[in-house]
Amino acid sequence: GVSIVTENGLEAVRIDTELCTGLVYRNGAHVAEWTPKGSEPVLWMSGSSHFTDGTAIRGGIPLCFPWFGPGRDGDRTPAHGFARLSPWNLTSAELSPNGLVRLVFTLTGDDVADLGGFPADFEASYAVTMGTAMQLALTVRAGEQPLEVEEALHTYFAVGDARQVRIEGLDGADYLDKVAGDRRTQSGDVTFTAETDRVYFSEATTRIVDEQLGRTIVVEKACSANTVVWNPWVDKSEAMADFGDEEWTGMCCVETVNALGDATQLSPGASHTMSATISLT
Ligand code: BG6
């Protein structure tokens, strides 16, 4: 079933059905767990994460909105937007006869402590559907002013060893390499051999092939022009207080994103939905 619980001192929704188990914190509408029955957890969580209302959680699926990182001009705070720091409202929770659980969380300007200059009359809603697959759909509606929105489902996946996985689906895609500070073109599959922080200009489905865990994670996207691939490697994970020094080998981020030149432009009253469906093969 579906129950409201306190987990790590925070309000959360726990899901335990015939198809999967899951956990979603109200703070940030943050999906922290999705585990299909009979599988290992699909999402990675740091053992050093903070769990405090108004603070980002490390791992799972931080929801970045209405800007990504410092925003396209590089000057926005808080980093990755206010959505992951805000208390979302659970407006519906349904268990359907086919065993799927669908949660809907909403956020408006009234819920946000610091809008960082963003218009208050937006409405965001986030539908999380969990079963043997998981679907995530973020819908944003503009109020009376036009909106420019960056957004990311900043998904941390659990992997056997980041140095041995490969990500299929990005061959030939252009990307911004945020470590090197230049633009490049992907040749072949993506592998991790050093700190990796890239914004791919690609709507394609990606597959994280993990021979060690004997599984492939498939990320299918809709209305997402960018895929961000991130692994902090040694030095950057040591520098992050909420990320264990040895943990980076067990994770990689493959994120469903609209950012930079692909930020979503909404005219007054218009809405837009970005979504991702995650499954295992
Ligand atoms: C990634 C960014 O998506 O998120 C990185 O591309 C950033 O640059 C990382 O370091 C984590 O961000 P944060 O704010 O959660 O530490």
Side-chain angles (χ1 to χ4, degrees):
V2 180
S3 42
I4 306 291
V5 297
T6 300
E7 187 85 17
N8 291 305
L10 298 181
E11 254 183 271
V13 183
R14 178 158 285 297
I15 292 166
D16 190 349
T17 67
E18 282 173 19
L19 303 181
C20 68
T21 56
L23 183 72
V24 187
Y25 289 101
R26 184 181 172 206
N27 178 52
H30 192 113
V31 178
E33 187 200 332
W34 168 59
T35 310
K37 284 283 158 78
S39 308
E40 295 293 308
V42 178
L43 302 177
W44 176 89
M45 275 293 301
S46 171
S48 301
S49 179
H50 302 305
F51 292 101
T52 310
D53 283 321
T55 301
I57 293 168
R58 179 69 67 191
I61 313 181
L63 200 51
C64 306
F65 164 84
W67 49 85
F68 182 74
R72 59 187 295 192
D73 296 327
D75 58 359
R76 309 298 293 266
T77 55
H80 284 322
F82 50 71
R84 65 177 179 165
L85 310 178
S86 301
W88 288 62
N89 302 297
L90 178 65
T91 51
S92 114
E94 290 165 23
L95 174 58
S96 63
N98 59 9
L100 295 181
V101 170
R102 184 169 186 271
L103 307 177
V104 179
F105 291 88
T106 57
L107 186 77
T108 67
D110 294 339
D111 304 313
V112 178
D114 177 7
L115 286 159
F118 196 73
D121 61 351
F122 74 92
E123 287 171 21
S125 94
Y126 185 43
V128 176
T129 307
M130 288 190 191
T132 52
M134 173 166 63
Q135 197 199 38
L136 308 159
L138 175 65
T139 300
V140 179
R141 180 179 299 279
E144 288 177 0
Q145 302 178 50
L147 290 185
E148 179 176 288
V149 171
E150 290 182 303
E151 52 202 349
L153 307 172
H154 193 307
T155 313
Y156 289 76
F157 289 109
V159 295
D161 186 336
R163 295 162 293 194
Q164 293 185 33
V165 298
R166 61 175 199 276
I167 303 171
E168 298 176 345
L170 295 168
D171 186 18
D174 290 338
Y175 65 93
L176 171 66
D177 187 321
K178 289 169 74 176
V179 178
D182 57 14
R183 281 181 80 119
R184 300 181 179 195
T185 302
Q186 181 64 35
S187 162
D189 296 336
V190 181
T191 54
F192 296 100
T193 56
E195 181 186 348
T196 302
D197 191 355
R198 301 176 181 174
V199 182
Y200 283 90
F201 301 96
S202 169
E203 299 191 15
T205 295
T206 48
R207 290 182 179 75
I208 306 168
V209 181
D210 186 340
E211 277 161 17
Q212 226 170 339
L213 292 186
R215 71 181 184 191
T216 295
I217 299 170
V218 183
V219 184
E220 268 184 274
K221 316 189 295 171
C223 299
S224 157
N226 312 125
T227 295
V228 170
V229 176
W230 184 60
N231 181 288
W233 214 252
V234 178
D235 294 346
K236 184 143 192 188
S237 35
E238 282 177 6
M240 288 184 283
D242 61 345
F243 199 119
D245 291 355
E246 314 291 334
E247 289 181 325
W248 61 272
T249 59
M251 57 69 68
C252 67
C253 287
V254 176
E255 311 171 27
T256 296
V257 179
N258 287 310
L260 305 173
D262 294 310
T264 298
Q265 308 295 337
L266 291 176
S267 45
S271 69
H272 158 94
T273 300
M274 176 181 81
S275 66
T277 302
I278 299 166
S279 56
L280 294 179
T281 60

